[in-house]
Amino acid sequence: MSGGARILVVEDNPQSLELVEFLLEEAGFRIVSAANGDQAREILEDLVPDLVLMDMQLPGTDGLTLVGELRRRPELRDTPFVALTAHALRGDRERFLSGGCDGYIAKPIDVGTFVDVVRGHLSPAESEGPR
Ligand code: MN
């Protein structure tokens, strides 16, 4: 994929979304964003992303509930879901992973490792991108 993998970012915090978009676009990924579950559902009617980055603290349907719901869509069965969360409570990581997330990134985002962590959840062909 010459244009890089397509990543859906579901994040209601504008500053956090701006940072995530900046880092991923600079790394050659194509970003589509949603601020809540309804927007994400609508986007996913037309798009099968290569990866979904999901804020766990969303207005309306919370992130983990949304992951559980979207996971049941056959076309998203093999799509990695990576949780983004400001909460770092004991047991959260296990709760997110057992709830259908493939990985977990804590906020505030570590700009030195963020892209590599995302890349690590993509298949080798998808993570190739312009440098
Ligand atoms: Mn949030």
Side-chain angles (χ1 to χ4, degrees), residues 6-10 17 21 25 30-34 43 47 49:
R6 285 180 303 184
I7 298 179
L8 171 63
V9 182
V10 188
L17 176 62
E21 281 188 317
E25 284 177 350
R30 293 175 293 170
I31 308 308
V32 180
S33 66
I43 287 167
L47 172 77

Side-chain angles (χ1 to χ4, degrees), residues 11-12 55 57-58 107:
E11 168 63 87
D12 65 306
D55 179 28
Q57 289 81 40
L58 290 171
K107 292 192 277 189

